Amino acid sequence: MSEQQAVEQAVDATFGTDVRRTVTVHSSGAVSIVVRGARVVVIDGTANGDEWGFSIDPDDAAAFAGHTETAPTLDAALRAAHAAVAG
């Protein structure tokens, strides 16, 4: 299984398969995820996967300023972001 497939499965397991999502694994190994449901979740991870940032409904200015929340793992970022949108 590729890294992209593994990330897609993790997103689906947390947010459900009916939510639109885009997963991009960059050539550097960094990962970008956008989940679009009732709200927009943006998650980015470092190439080595030891730092993940996420934002809920970021505006254009926030997209260049960094994320509002951080997590040490992809699973922690997904769970925290899901909890934030579930509310």
Side-chain angles (χ1 to χ4, degrees):
M1 174 183 314
S2 72
E3 182 178 3
Q4 177 142 348
Q5 290 171 317
V7 172
E8 289 171 345
Q9 285 185 349
V11 172
D12 289 348
T14 304
F15 286 91
T17 57
D18 58 333
V19 175
R20 293 181 306 153
R21 48 116 172 105
T22 303
V23 174
T24 304
V25 178
H26 302 280
S27 59
S28 67
V31 177
S32 297
I33 303 164
V34 179
V35 178
R36 292 177 179 86
R39 303 189 63 190
V40 175
V41 176
V42 177
I43 302 172
D44 293 300
T46 58
N48 60 7
D50 66 353
E51 186 175 359
W52 294 84
F54 65 94
S55 298
I56 310 300
D57 297 326
D59 60 19
D60 290 339
F64 295 102
H67 291 288
T68 56
E69 303 290 335
T70 61
T73 66
L74 172 60
D75 288 335
L78 289 170
R79 286 191 310 272
H82 185 264
V85 297

